[in-house]
Amino acid sequence: VVAGSTVKLDCGAQGDPTPWVQWHKECGDLPWGRWHEVDEENTLHLYTVTPDDGTTYVCKAQSQLCTTATTAHVSV
């Protein structure tokens, strides 16, 4: 992606019971002091990305029955 743009990463976690979804960087937390959000469809939006945002992101879905995760790599 181009520096300064917005990145959207989808996480289509579904189930019954509905899983709890959490996004994080592979090696830490989401960027602090910068704008990001997770919408009601569990899509992670990273606004005004910088080269520091180029990393692997993890979507972890957890319910009473199981836990699963998937990754997405972003290159800026």
Side-chain angles (χ1 to χ4, degrees):
V1 298
V2 177
S5 65
T6 297
V7 175
K8 295 180 184 178
L9 301 175
D10 295 321
C11 185
Q14 299 176 3
D16 186 19
T18 302
W20 176 72
V21 173
Q22 181 181 24
W23 279 96
H24 60 90
K25 286 184 174 182
E26 187 172 52
C27 296
D29 295 326
L30 293 175
W32 289 100
R34 300 218 6 265
W35 184 249
H36 65 273
E37 68 178 342
V38 178
D39 67 20
E40 64 278 351
E41 295 177 353
N42 300 316
T43 299
L44 173 64
H45 301 260
L46 299 169
Y47 299 102
T48 318
V49 294
T50 68
D52 290 339
D53 296 319
T55 190
T56 299
Y57 292 84
V58 179
C59 173
K60 179 180 173 185
Q62 184 173 353
S63 74
Q64 298 168 351
L65 302 175
C66 69
T67 300
T68 189
T70 191
T71 60
H73 184 75
V74 174
S75 296
V76 181

